[in-house]
Amino acid sequence: MNININDIEVIMKENILNWANKVIYQIFPRSFKDSNNDGNGDLRGIISKLDYLENLGIDAIWLCPVYETEFADAGYDVLDYKKIWSTFGTIEDFKFLVEEAKKRNIEIIMDIVLNHTSNKHQWFLKAIESEKNKEHNYYIWTDKPGDEESIFGGSAWEYVPSLNKYYFHLFAKEQVDLNWESDFTIDAMVDVIDFWYNLGVRGFRLDAIQHVHKETNNGNFSHSFGSKMVEYLQKFENKIYETKKDVFFIGEASGIQPNTVLKYAQGKDKIADNFYNFGSWWIGWGKETGRNGYDANWKISDFANPAILEYQNNKEIKNYMITNFMSSHDTARSISRWGDEKLFWEESAKSLALYQFSLKGIQTVLYGEEIGLKNPIFHSRKDFRDVDALNAYRIFVDEKKKYTEQEMTRFHNINSRDNSRIPMVWNKKENFGFNEGKKTWIKKSGYYLNSSVEEQERKEDSILNFYKNIIKLRKKFSSVLIDGEAQMELLENEVIKVTRFSNDQKIVSLINLTNKEKTIDSFNNREILLNTYSDKKGIENILRPYQSIMFLEK
Ligand code: GLC
């Protein structure tokens, strides 16, 4: 059968639009469910919770890396792209996961770490064995290191005594940057996609894609959006498209801005179908030290900052081009960062959900957000597992003496990535049902009333049921909440207003992310679709603390 190029474009476009309908659930596999009681989550654990996920209403699971690894950077240091880390199970488990997920109409999204490999990867071992080995060219080398810095702190160059040379690593020294100049790298990554595609995977998160081309211009080093990035990535993707039309690429380019999404999500420079919307992830981070610090002066208006407004209000930015998230494995828990963990725990968690789901774009929910999971309490340096958090102690406490040990611990309790990597809270039993009691690999959540899935399933107005409702509403009003246009504004009293509309329908969200009452226009006679307060009192023209509503405007 001959399919002409226009038909192919139609098929590919339909596939993208189909992905735009989805709600993605992000799983950090080590912490979701431990099926064999070894203290670590695993694939069998995830499989055992697929009914729960189906019931929640999600359409796809983004699995953080599950490949063989030393876990130096939580699996983003891959030892073998085609093997499942034995702690997580086997390839048979993975096949079973895909099969069981498909039965429930749930897609699996693999996290493709294409910028770097582990320093224990076979290729790197060969690369340092001899400069004559072809693998040597898979990586980036110098005799004279410059002062380029790693994103995780310290020099980006690491010395290899046997070669008397340095290799480049943008992240941890255990993550060696691949040389994308070499066609081999590209082919190797195409082969990785082939492998998972053949096992039924259609969605791919392309990790750290803005970094594949590093360059120095007029003495200035740059590691993001290099001049050959598009060329490299298009070579890679075009090879994939030769045989596969139904793949979906979500690009992870941290800190990307709306105009850059417009450039790279369509047209001649397209490198991904969709990008994560990083508009809010920095809110409350230290001005100089990012997530390794804390800025108590963050403002509610930051949730309607220029980038966020642009994503929503610019009609050129289509819903399928961006993926919104409140928390990820690279942030702390949203409720602890921006909500009220105590008095208004449920209302503020629901308000953050309502805010996210009012936005144009695909929605991603990090495991645990649907039950308002909070940051745990880390007492000292030894409680942390994340390489970035530990490096921060070394650099900002030990070396630069910018923070005291206690300060760093305090900041990490607010913003560290480890907060989002803690065991899921399933019930009130030992280790909250994560396993049968074996010590967990990372700190657990504290106990608080109604915090578990089991309790929240029973409580009609729980955060969990709020998420279920909001996901259902998104589907019921898909022409507005998924495909509709968006208009977002910050009202004078800090209430955020998001209007979504299609030709014949309009849905308005008024979001109060503060612990204060807010006066609004009376919305009597409106059909309320969602309300973060479960009683029917009030709501005439006052929003109570963290009260947010979504209503149908006739
Ligand atoms: C991405 C991942 C992050 C990881 C980094 C290096 O930003 O989301 O967790 O540390 O890439 O792979």
Side-chain angles (χ1 to χ4, degrees), residues 436-490:
E436 304 281 305
K438 170 89 180 183
K439 191 170 188 311
T440 56
W441 75 281
I442 192 170
K443 277 215 87 134
K444 297 181 290 191
S445 157
Y447 178 73
Y448 41 102
L449 189 66
N450 287 329
S451 60
S452 73
V453 168
E454 205 175 285
E455 288 158 286
Q456 294 197 27
E457 275 178 338
R458 283 198 298 264
K459 187 170 179 282
E460 202 192 325
D461 62 349
S462 63
I463 303 169
L464 179 59
N465 282 321
F466 191 84
Y467 266 90
K468 286 186 191 169
N469 287 337
I470 211 166
I471 293 172
K472 272 193 209 118
L473 270 183
R474 181 176 157 90
K475 297 197 171 146
K476 178 168 174 201
F477 293 99
S478 65
S479 64
V480 191
L481 290 178
I482 298 178
D483 301 324
E485 304 275 357
Q487 180 61 44
M488 182 180 200
E489 60 189 302
L490 180 72

Side-chain angles (χ1 to χ4, degrees), residues 165-183:
K165 270 182 162 185
Y166 300 75
Y167 68 80
F168 185 82
H169 64 92
L170 191 55
F171 295 92
K173 66 177 190 309
E174 294 84 357
Q175 295 165 291
V176 194
D177 279 55
L178 283 161
N179 170 18
W180 272 69
E181 188 76 52
S182 136
D183 278 342

Side-chain angles (χ1 to χ4, degrees), residues 298 300 303 333-342 344-345 347-349 351-352 513 515 546:
W298 65 271
I300 295 302
F303 285 94
R333 295 269 161 197
S334 62
I335 178 77
S336 304
R337 296 176 72 189
W338 305 318
D340 180 330
E341 288 188 327
K342 297 195 170 73
F344 298 105
W345 167 55
E347 292 80 2
S348 59
S351 272
L352 288 166
L513 293 176
N515 58 5
Y546 293 105

